[in-house]
Amino acid sequence: MKKFLYIILGILAVVVILAAVLPIVYKDDIRALVEQQIDENVNADVYFDADEFSVSLFRDFPNLNVSLGNFGVVGKAPFAGDTLTSISEFSVSVDLFSLMGDQIVIEEVSLVDPYINIMVKEDGTANYDIAKASGEEEVVTEEESSGEMAFQVNGWSIENGRVIYDDKSLPTFLEIQGLNHSGSGDFTLEVFDLETSTKMESITVDFDGVKYLENNVIDAEITMNIDLSDVMSLTFKENLLKVNDFAMGFDGFIKMPGDDIVMDITFEAKENEFKNILSLVPGVFLEGFEDLKTDGSLAFGGFVKGTFNETTMPGFKVDLNVEKGMFQYPDLPTAINNILVDMHVDAESGVYDDMIVDIRKFHMDLGKNPVNGRVKIAGLEDMDVDADVSAKLNLADLSSMFPMEGLSMAGMYSLGLKAKGVYSDAKGTIPQINADMALNDGKIAYADYPVPMEKIHVQTQIINENGILNDTRVEISDASMLVDGEPLKASGKIYNLNDLTWNFKVNGGLDFTILDKIYPLEDMHLTGKIKADIVTSGKMSDVDAERYDKLPTSGSVTIDKLKFTSVDLPQGLTIDNAIATFNPRTIELSKYEGALGKSDMKIKGSLSNYIAYALKDNEVLKGNFSMTSNTFDANEWMTEEEETATADTTTEEYGVVPIPKTLDFRFDANIAKVLYEDMVMDNMKGNITMKDGVMGLNNLRFGLLGGKFTMNGAYDTKDPEKPKFDFDMGIAALSFAKSYETFNTVQTFAPLAKNIDGDFSTNLKLKGGLGQDMMPLYETLTGGGKVIVKDAAVVGLDILTKMSEITKIKELSNPKLKDILVQTKFEDGKMKVEPFKFDLEGIATEVAGSTSFTGDLDYKVNMVIPLEKFGADVAAQYSALTGTTQVPLVFNVAGNYDDPKVGLEGDPWKSLAEQQANKIKKEASAEAQKQIGAAVNVLQDTTLTDEEKKKKMEEMGDDLSDDAKKALEKLKKLPFGKKKEN
């Protein structure tokens, strides 16, 4: 027995060791296979953490568990960089023994923290279409199919998922957060039960801009019987679907014979409390819903029955009834009582254009104020409408029923609406309408603002007597209020909708600060006061035809301490004081004092075409102004692209500033100081225009970095993706060093500027493209101009230092420059310098060549150097042999500015030395001439340094005759060539 136990324990030990070791041994092979299959089949970037890839028998013994950590799929064009999915952990457990059979049993598939982001463009292109094309589809016979491996999935789960479906082609947007789901079912059986449990912490559904669900909570427990024997069918068994606190149940079936889907489903509310349907209202559900006092009964139910296919829709009916409903906010004294709803929706025929929505009755009592209504709509395309709605509200009572912290109201509001007839786009008809809305003795007071809006009176009527759209009239017979003792009155009407005709009067003052607090506008704020006395009337046909003389608009507007901010204008617009007068053609701005962001402004001028601009799309607003400012900060208007943070600094990158195509403005500017990036421009004067997406500069003059600038040209953003510029600049007395520190173009094409102490002047024409970072695209630059240097000094320029080392002329290392004129040209991504001559420390010099935008140098420098620059001995030798007093040298400059390569063309010193050597050889004896030939070869070898030549000469000196030794001493003094490049 003991021996038998040892054998059993040994076998178990081997099994355990193999279970632990085999997954580790084959882990890399499995991972490689996974990566291979992904690469061959998926057109996307798939990633997973190699360290969190595991294959284990112990994690879910006796099942084999394979898991991936930090798994994700990122799209390629046209969805480059967009995440399709990311999963913290993707795990699959497989029945180990099933791997040896014909059917693989997957016990569970688990997703932890999955993020699924589905996007569809307007043309139908979807980011989930990532499968690589596999060529012609393979035809599989029944015999071949029977031999394929089958799969059985017993369970699956999702933990803390997030799903986004953004389909621009429909357009539909869905977002689910906090998704937890589990399911199980034996799909290998023909008849089985599928059990699922789903919870969503938040779901939002938006279709074509309308939110049908917003941050709703979903809880669903559904059991369906699935029959795959003949015709696939789904039969609802036990199920519960809760949306917030509103719970529904389902009974019935869905069958799928062929291409049809046949269904017969009934649904009804599981609970009959009125409170449950209130939970569907997001505001109620989110704000103390649990503490809301409610009463009343609810009945909700209906059915969906029929066939769904490409041509047929199932019919349905829905009924909603609320009886004696009531709700009351906690801590408020008055309830909303007697809520009654009787609604019936009927589309039993399956022809949705014939749908009937019939709200037979709607009623509620807001305190003692009743609201009554009934609405019936038959049809969707041609809607037959029959509606009667009435309400009377004492606004002072609302604060006792609804939370209105900091806001109090008063006044009697009444509404009466009757509509009967057919609304049809195709036929151009609307229901006959008689609607009256009135507010008498109204008052609105906001706690944070001490001045209320009082004595509010509004009387508005909408009338259509015959169902013809064009005959609709909107009349505001009285609209008035008193704000801080300042009255505001308005009246007018709109009629003749085919040729929109209006007639309005506005007189009085308005405080936008109060309106902003009571009726806050989305993403914008407006404060300040305005006084207006305006009369306007006209027809849209006269606007279209620009018959402004038939648009009698006149009056004046005074603005005091107005400030406007919005998402599009975060810098803010401030008007301390402004006065404008109106006529049909123009608005005359006789006074404007204010600020645009940090920039103060005073403006006078006029606006024209303002009526067309206000009433029609793509019209151009024209303006002619004179503007003065003490400081204009242009940096505020640079479009911020991104912020890049480093260890100790944060840098901002900016994008293209588009010029609106709907503006045609001319500014005569006089600005004391303009801030742009790190530059300060002073005393800017000139003309600035904006038209057709182009900003023009005309004779714009300003001071910058101690120099004087004159600019003409254009900044063109007609195509914001490809902006461009075309400038003609005159610059006087600008510092070389400061220009290098400030301008990227100088740093790129003329980096030697940082080594020059002095000023220059130029007339330069330059045009080209701009990148999205507003930097010039150097390869597109064309133009050129003259650069004039009157008096300057070069300090520490590496090119001249190397020339000085080659020639042994110290003056070349830090020379002075005087009266230089350089002609430049930009083309092919280079700044080309035409040949120009100047005096360089007494040396006649000529320079020509180019600098590329990548920093490559290609220059030729011709110098004619007086002999005395080299010393008396050399000058005497050279002069005696050549009969001249000057040495011509040609330098080639290559490399780049940080590492220039400077070399001589030819070597005049070598020529001089050879002539001297020949003379010495002729004067020596025949025997000595043979001996010193080798010495001459050494001295002529330009690959050797002076030390190497000296050593070789000393080595051969001991074997020479006395006559040869004397000749050799003379040869050592000759200026044979050195290495050419430094």
Side-chain angles (χ1 to χ4, degrees):
M1 175 63 82
K2 185 182 295 185
K3 186 175 181 180
F4 174 74
L5 289 175
Y6 285 152
I7 293 172
I8 294 300
L9 290 174
I11 292 172
L12 290 175
V14 170
V15 170
V16 171
I17 292 171
L18 288 175
V21 172
L22 286 178
I24 298 173
V25 171
Y26 290 103
K27 173 181 174 181
D28 291 340
D29 293 333
I30 296 172
R31 186 176 66 205
L33 180 61
V34 171
E35 292 174 343
Q36 178 187 348
Q37 291 299 312
I38 289 171
D39 184 61
E40 292 177 355
N41 295 284
V42 178
N43 184 30
D45 293 325
V46 180
Y47 66 88
F48 59 88
D49 192 333
D51 293 334
E52 295 191 28
F53 176 85
S54 70
V55 181
S56 174
L57 282 171
F58 293 111
R59 183 173 182 178
D60 190 18
F61 188 81
N63 300 316
L64 175 67
N65 180 272
V66 180
S67 66
L68 295 175
N70 294 325
F71 171 82
V73 180
V74 179
K76 295 183 178 179
F79 297 97
D82 293 325
T83 297
L84 171 60
T85 184
S86 66
I87 304 171
S88 295
E89 183 179 355
F90 178 24
S91 176
V92 179
S93 291
V94 181
D95 185 331
L96 184 62
F97 298 104
S98 72
L99 296 175
M100 295 178 283
D102 294 334
Q103 179 171 279
I104 296 177
V105 178
I106 299 176
E107 292 293 345
E108 185 174 13
V109 178
S110 173
L111 304 179
V112 178
D113 296 329
Y115 168 55
I116 300 172
N117 179 32
I118 298 174
M119 295 186 291
V120 182
K121 293 181 176 290
E122 291 180 353
D123 61 3
T125 305
N127 70 334
Y128 55 79
D129 187 11
I130 59 174
K132 288 185 177 179
S134 57
E136 295 185 4
E137 186 175 340
E138 184 180 357
V139 178
V140 181
T141 65
E142 184 176 348
E143 291 79 6
E144 291 171 329
S145 176
S146 63
E148 290 182 351
M149 183 68 69
F151 290 89
Q152 172 184 338
V153 180
N154 289 336
W156 57 90
S157 66
I158 297 173
E159 181 181 336
N160 190 34
R162 183 186 179 203
V163 178
I164 292 178
Y165 177 75
D166 188 0
D167 191 336
K168 296 289 195 302
S169 66
L170 292 180
T172 299
F173 177 84
L174 177 145
E175 181 175 11
I176 300 172
Q177 297 189 51
L179 171 62
N180 291 278
H181 169 82
S182 62
S184 63
D186 191 347
F187 286 89
T188 63
L189 301 177
E190 288 190 340
V191 180
F192 64 95
D193 284 347
L194 175 66
E195 298 181 2
T196 63
S197 174
T198 305
K199 296 182 184 295
M200 303 177 194
E201 293 179 3
S202 170
I203 179 171
T204 297
V205 179
D206 185 308
F207 177 73
D208 201 16
V210 178
K211 283 187 171 63
Y212 291 91
L213 294 175
E214 185 175 13
N215 297 324
N216 292 96
V217 178
I218 299 289
D219 191 349
E221 302 288 337
I222 296 176
T223 299
M224 290 187 298
N225 179 261
I226 298 180
D227 187 344
L228 304 175
S229 56
D230 293 321
V231 175
M232 180 178 179
S233 66
L234 312 175
T235 303
F236 288 99
K237 297 178 73 174
E238 299 177 7
N239 56 82
L240 178 68
L241 171 64
K242 291 183 67 176
V243 182
N244 292 345
D245 271 22
F246 183 67
M248 291 188 298
F250 301 87
D251 284 308
F253 65 84
I254 298 173
K255 294 184 178 181
M256 288 171 267
D259 294 331
D260 291 340
I261 300 177
V262 180
M263 60 188 73
D264 187 352
I265 302 172
T266 60
F267 54 87
E268 64 177 355
K270 288 290 188 180
E271 300 175 4
N272 61 359
E273 294 184 10
F274 173 60
K275 179 178 183 179
N276 296 324
I277 199 167
L278 284 181
S279 74
L280 298 179
V281 182
V284 174
F285 184 71
L286 295 176
E287 295 180 13
F289 172 74
E290 296 298 331
D291 297 327
L292 203 65
K293 298 178 182 178
T294 66
D295 198 2
S297 63
L298 163 74
F300 174 84
F303 67 79
V304 180
K305 184 176 183 180
T307 301
F308 174 81
N309 55 36
E310 291 184 356
T311 60
T312 307
M313 298 293 289
F316 69 89
K317 281 186 178 181
V318 178
D319 287 292
L320 171 65
N321 289 277
V322 177
E323 294 284 348
K324 297 182 180 179
M326 181 276 290
F327 70 90
Q328 182 178 359
Y329 279 91
D331 303 325
L332 292 180
T334 306
I336 292 85
N337 285 302
N338 298 325
I339 301 173
L340 172 66
V341 180
D342 182 5
M343 184 179 76
H344 177 71
V345 180
D346 187 347
E348 188 173 4
S349 67
V351 181
Y352 292 170
D353 281 342
D354 297 335
M355 182 190 303
I356 296 174
V357 179
D358 190 1
I359 302 176
R360 297 160 178 157
K361 189 169 184 180
F362 175 82
H363 175 84
M364 70 169 64
D365 290 330
L366 299 173
K368 298 179 180 180
N369 305 305
V371 177
N372 288 291
R374 63 171 180 82
V375 178
K376 182 178 182 180
I377 301 174
L380 292 183
E381 186 169 341
D382 292 341
M383 292 189 290
D384 191 349
V385 179
D386 186 3
D388 188 350
V389 179
S390 63
K392 289 186 177 180
L393 304 177
N394 185 342
L395 298 185
D397 294 341
L398 292 181
S399 61
S400 68
M401 291 176 275
F402 296 97
M404 294 166 48
E405 185 176 352
L407 177 65
S408 62
M409 296 187 294
M412 290 300 300
Y413 172 83
S414 64
L415 170 68
L417 168 65
K418 291 185 178 182
K420 189 174 182 61
V422 177
Y423 175 84
S424 172
D425 246 352
K427 299 173 184 177
T429 62
I430 64 171
Q432 297 178 27
I433 300 173
N434 190 339
D436 289 285
M437 183 186 74
L439 175 61
N440 292 305
D441 202 20
K443 179 180 179 180
I444 299 175
Y446 196 76
D448 293 340
Y449 198 83
V451 179
M453 300 167 65
E454 300 177 292
K455 296 184 179 179
I456 303 172
H457 296 278
V458 179
Q459 185 70 49
T460 301
Q461 190 174 27
I462 303 174
I463 301 172
N464 184 288
E465 297 173 340
N466 56 15
I468 299 173
L469 177 64
N470 186 52
D471 293 338
T472 303
R473 305 193 309 274
V474 179
E475 297 182 1
I476 303 174
S477 56
D478 177 32
S480 61
M481 70 176 71
L482 192 67
V483 183
D484 198 16
E486 184 73 41
L488 175 64
K489 296 181 179 180
S491 63
K493 58 184 177 180
I494 299 172
Y495 56 95
N496 189 22
L497 300 187
N498 285 340
D499 185 10
L500 186 68
T501 305
W502 71 89
N503 190 333
F504 279 97
K505 295 180 181 179
V506 179
N507 179 269
L510 184 62
D511 192 331
F512 288 113
T513 305
I514 299 174
L515 290 181
D516 185 66
K517 291 182 178 297
I518 299 173
Y519 302 109
L521 300 174
E522 186 175 357
D523 298 328
M524 65 176 63
H525 293 286
L526 185 63
T527 61
K529 294 183 178 181
I530 183 171
K531 292 183 180 180
D533 187 0
I534 301 173
V535 178
T536 178
S537 61
K539 297 180 178 180
M540 185 58 72
S541 59
D542 291 328
V543 174
D544 294 338
E546 299 184 2
R547 294 187 291 263
Y548 298 117
D549 55 324
K550 295 186 177 181
L551 301 170
T553 298
S554 61
S556 63
V557 172
T558 301
I559 300 172
D560 184 41
K561 298 189 184 321
L562 182 142
K563 184 172 183 180
F564 172 78
T565 57
S566 71
V567 171
D568 296 326
L569 190 69
Q571 303 87 346
L573 169 68
T574 301
I575 302 176
D576 294 329
N577 190 267
I579 300 174
T581 56
F582 294 77
N583 62 54
R585 289 186 176 274
T586 61
I587 298 175
E588 295 291 336
L589 190 62
S590 58
K591 182 180 182 181
Y592 176 102
E593 295 178 353
L596 199 56
K598 300 175 184 176
S599 309
D600 67 283
M601 294 188 301
K602 292 182 179 180
I603 299 176
K604 290 184 179 181
S606 63
L607 287 169
S608 59
N609 198 44
Y610 70 93
I611 296 178
Y613 180 79
L615 298 178
K616 296 169 62 179
D617 293 332
N618 301 318
E619 282 292 323
V620 177
L621 182 64
K622 300 177 181 180
N624 197 332
F625 302 98
S626 62
M627 181 185 76
T628 60
S629 174
N630 292 314
T631 302
F632 191 91
D633 189 348
N635 292 317
E636 284 191 288
W637 309 101
M638 301 288 283
T639 305
E640 187 175 324
E641 291 284 307
E642 61 178 309
E643 291 190 358
T644 304
T646 61
D648 51 3
T649 61
T650 299
T651 60
E652 295 179 353
E653 296 182 5
Y654 298 96
V656 172
V657 181
I659 306 302
K661 295 180 181 179
T662 54
L663 296 183
D664 182 359
F665 279 12
R666 173 190 172 98
F667 289 94
D668 290 319
N670 187 343
I671 307 173
K673 184 187 297 183
V674 177
L675 307 179
Y676 178 74
E677 292 188 339
D678 295 329
M679 295 182 287
V680 179
M681 293 171 272
D682 54 55
N683 297 319
M684 180 177 286
K685 297 179 181 179
N687 176 256
I688 303 172
T689 60
M690 288 187 287
K691 185 176 182 180
D692 297 328
V694 179
M695 181 174 70
L697 307 178
N698 305 294
N699 198 28
L700 190 68
R701 303 179 305 278
F702 56 89
L704 175 63
L705 305 175
K708 301 295 182 183
F709 286 68
T710 302
M711 293 187 69
N712 291 278
Y715 163 61
D716 186 341
T717 63
K718 290 178 182 176
D719 183 355
E721 297 299 318
K722 297 179 180 178
K724 54 188 178 180
F725 69 95
D726 185 352
F727 288 129
D728 185 349
M729 295 177 287
I731 304 174
L734 179 63
S735 164
F736 275 105
K738 290 181 179 178
S739 69
Y740 175 84
E741 294 172 0
T742 306
F743 301 116
N744 294 84
T745 307
V746 175
Q747 294 172 9
T748 300
F749 290 108
L752 57 85
K754 74 175 182 179
N755 296 98
I756 301 178
D757 182 12
D759 299 337
F760 70 94
S761 300
T762 183
N763 290 309
L764 181 65
K765 293 184 178 180
L766 195 61
K767 65 179 179 179
L770 292 168
Q772 291 298 303
D773 57 357
M774 293 293 285
M775 296 300 296
L777 301 175
Y778 295 119
E779 64 274 15
T780 69
L781 295 182
T782 59
K786 295 179 180 179
V787 179
I788 301 170
V789 181
K790 284 292 184 183
D791 196 357
V794 181
V795 180
L797 183 62
D798 204 12
I799 296 171
L800 290 178
T801 300
K802 292 187 176 183
M803 288 182 179
S804 175
E805 291 173 353
I806 291 172
T807 61
K808 305 300 183 185
I809 301 174
K810 293 182 179 180
E811 296 99 307
L812 287 179
S813 59
N814 295 305
K816 288 183 168 50
L817 305 176
K818 193 172 182 65
D819 297 330
I820 297 176
L821 189 150
V822 182
Q823 182 69 49
T824 63
K825 180 168 62 174
F826 288 84
E827 62 181 14
D828 302 327
K830 297 179 180 180
M831 183 187 73
K832 297 181 179 180
V833 176
E834 296 182 3
F836 67 96
K837 297 179 179 180
F838 61 102
D839 181 277
L840 186 64
E841 294 294 342
I843 299 171
T845 304
E846 183 182 67
V847 177
S850 67
T851 303
S852 75
F853 73 89
T854 58
D856 295 331
L857 304 175
D858 184 11
Y859 284 92
K860 190 180 289 292
V861 181
N862 294 305
M863 290 184 176
V864 180
I865 304 177
L867 283 174
E868 60 267 19
K869 295 288 184 181
F870 302 107
D873 291 342
V874 175
Q877 291 180 52
Y878 194 91
S879 179
L881 288 169
T882 63
T884 63
T885 60
Q886 296 176 322
V887 180
L889 297 181
V890 179
F891 291 93
N892 289 317
V893 181
N896 56 62
Y897 181 75
D898 293 325
D899 185 19
K901 307 298 183 184
V902 181
L904 278 172
E905 275 190 12
D907 193 340
W909 306 119
K910 180 179 179 182
S911 175
L912 172 62
E914 287 175 346
Q915 293 179 58
Q916 286 282 61
N918 289 334
K919 182 178 178 182
I920 292 170
K921 287 169 66 177
K922 287 180 180 180
E923 293 174 351
S925 64
E927 182 184 355
Q929 288 182 19
K930 293 180 182 179
Q931 291 179 324
I932 66 175
V936 172
N937 291 335
V938 172
L939 294 172
Q940 289 178 330
D941 188 350
T942 58
T943 65
L944 299 176
T945 64
D946 288 344
E947 284 297 320
E948 290 171 336
K949 289 179 181 182
K950 181 179 178 182
K951 184 176 181 182
K952 285 182 177 291
M953 295 289 285
E954 290 175 350
E955 290 174 352
M956 68 176 62
D958 296 337
D959 300 328
L960 300 179
S961 64
D962 292 340
D963 193 15
K965 288 181 179 179
K966 291 179 181 178
L968 183 60
E969 290 301 319
K970 294 179 181 179
L971 287 171
K972 289 180 181 179
K973 298 178 180 180
L974 296 180
F976 282 97
K978 307 289 192 297
K979 290 184 178 180
K980 289 186 178 181
E981 189 176 276
N982 284 292

